[in-house]
Amino acid sequence: MNKKYSRFRLVKKPLTAITDNEEIRKSDFPFSKLLKESKYPVRALRYWWLHCIIKDEMKDKLGVVTIVDVGCDTGIIKRFIPPVKNSRWIGLDIITTRAGLEVASYDELYQCDFNVNLPLEDDSAEIVICSHVLEHLPRPEFTMGELARILKPGGMLLVGVPIAPQIIAHFRQNQMQEQLENGKRKMGQHVQMFDVKRLKKLAEDKGLKIEFTAGTAMIRKKGSRLENSAAWIRFNQIWAAVFPSLSQELCLQIRKPL
């Protein structure tokens, strides 16, 4: 299986998973009041695209599908995504006692360090989510190898990270390294800066195939009235698809070959 999808794929997807999402309007959902008051908060797009891709993926699945949420934090991804029929969710995080995590109701939950081997068997998951985790890790190459290891042949990996043009990313990476060395930055904060080329190489070096790449949004202005306009969101998505290196975040759909 080695499909290729248009970079404008997400622009065609309905935004109802945001507007009709009762979960994100709940008082205990980890969105600020400002985000909850917006009809289309740009921040929600990093979870919305995961929902869209997983929904498509599940159409052809038979039996129980194991979904691994790497860096599950407070369970925000699982809570945002409407219940997925015939799915079994496994949450992984270095801290599994965060307030509100129990609301997400993972089928299994493991405390683990992503800088060492993950506590899962080889070829054990059909879908692996790694959203805004790699930028916090000292060895993203090692972690990508672990994600590839636990993924079943034919399985899908979904990755989201902050992104920058190559020259800027290289400068920021060197700056972060210097800050780590002189104690001005601590491990657990952002310690990696990615450009599109580096991220693709990270996956391809582990034998994985890129199926889809696009930015989530070009401009994010929290609390702006523009976040009540679907046209503004679509404009953002189109430009982020055309110029992914200039978008705020990059999303990738990756496949482990059969």
Side-chain angles (χ1 to χ4, degrees):
M1 187 184 299
N2 187 18
K3 296 180 180 179
K4 290 289 184 180
Y5 295 96
S6 165
R7 68 176 64 184
F8 299 103
R9 179 186 184 191
L10 294 178
V11 179
K12 304 173 184 178
K13 300 292 185 182
L15 296 170
T16 50
I18 298 176
T19 56
D20 298 347
N21 196 321
E22 297 181 1
E23 193 69 26
I24 66 176
R25 311 301 172 185
K26 291 181 178 179
S27 60
D28 65 344
F29 192 81
F31 266 10
S32 67
K33 181 181 179 182
L34 200 60
L35 288 177
K36 291 179 181 180
E37 289 175 349
S38 299
K39 189 174 182 181
Y40 305 103
V42 172
R43 176 61 180 268
L45 291 177
R46 68 169 58 173
Y47 310 113
W48 169 83
W49 84 269
L50 294 170
H51 154 72
C52 292
I53 304 303
I54 290 174
K55 184 178 179 181
D56 282 352
E57 184 77 0
M58 292 297 293
K59 289 178 181 178
D60 300 323
K61 295 293 184 183
L62 299 174
V64 176
V65 172
T66 297
I67 302 174
V68 178
D69 186 359
V70 178
C72 59
D73 194 51
T74 58
I76 189 170
I77 291 173
K78 187 173 184 297
R79 290 188 63 184
F80 182 95
I81 296 175
V84 180
K85 188 177 180 181
N86 296 328
S87 65
R88 170 175 163 263
W89 283 74
I90 299 175
L92 306 179
D93 207 287
I94 195 167
I95 300 173
T96 55
T97 56
R98 290 187 175 95
L101 182 56
E102 69 281 357
V103 179
S105 300
Y106 287 89
D107 297 286
E108 296 179 35
L109 191 62
Y110 296 100
Q111 188 277 331
C112 61
D113 183 346
F114 302 138
N115 198 37
V116 299
N117 294 340
L118 299 177
L120 298 176
E121 298 292 330
D122 295 359
D123 305 336
S124 57
E126 283 84 3
I127 299 173
V128 175
I129 302 169
C130 185
S131 178
H132 292 267
V133 174
L134 293 176
E135 65 269 26
H136 297 279
L137 304 179
R139 297 193 296 161
E141 295 82 5
F142 171 83
T143 305
M144 182 63 76
E146 280 295 284
L147 300 180
R149 178 184 66 79
I150 67 172
L151 198 61
K152 289 183 178 182
M156 180 178 70
L157 169 62
L158 300 176
V159 173
V161 292
I163 198 73
Q166 191 170 9
I167 294 176
I168 296 175
H170 182 72
F171 171 79
R172 285 288 293 134
Q173 184 65 50
N174 289 338
Q175 186 182 50
M176 287 177 180
Q177 187 58 45
E178 290 178 4
Q179 291 171 341
L180 278 171
E181 291 172 357
N182 61 31
K184 293 183 178 180
R185 183 176 293 268
K186 296 180 179 179
M187 197 58 65
Q189 295 179 308
H190 284 202
V191 294
Q192 305 290 339
M193 190 67 222
F194 294 98
D195 58 77
V196 175
K197 184 178 179 180
R198 181 188 177 192
L199 197 57
K200 286 184 175 181
K201 186 176 187 301
L202 199 64
E204 291 171 350
D205 282 353
K206 304 303 178 182
L208 303 173
K209 303 295 183 181
I210 309 294
E211 291 186 334
F212 169 78
T213 305
T216 51
M218 184 66 72
I219 302 171
R220 173 183 166 196
K221 191 174 181 182
K222 187 167 60 176
S224 168
R225 291 183 180 179
L226 289 171
E227 292 197 346
N228 292 314
S229 167
W232 169 249
I233 294 297
R234 293 308 191 192
F235 170 82
N236 249 309
Q237 290 179 317
I238 290 170
W239 280 98
V242 175
F243 304 107
S245 292
L246 299 179
S247 65
Q248 296 190 11
E249 304 169 356
L250 191 72
C251 51
L252 291 94
Q253 178 179 339
I254 303 169
R255 187 77 56 179
K256 184 174 181 176
L258 290 167

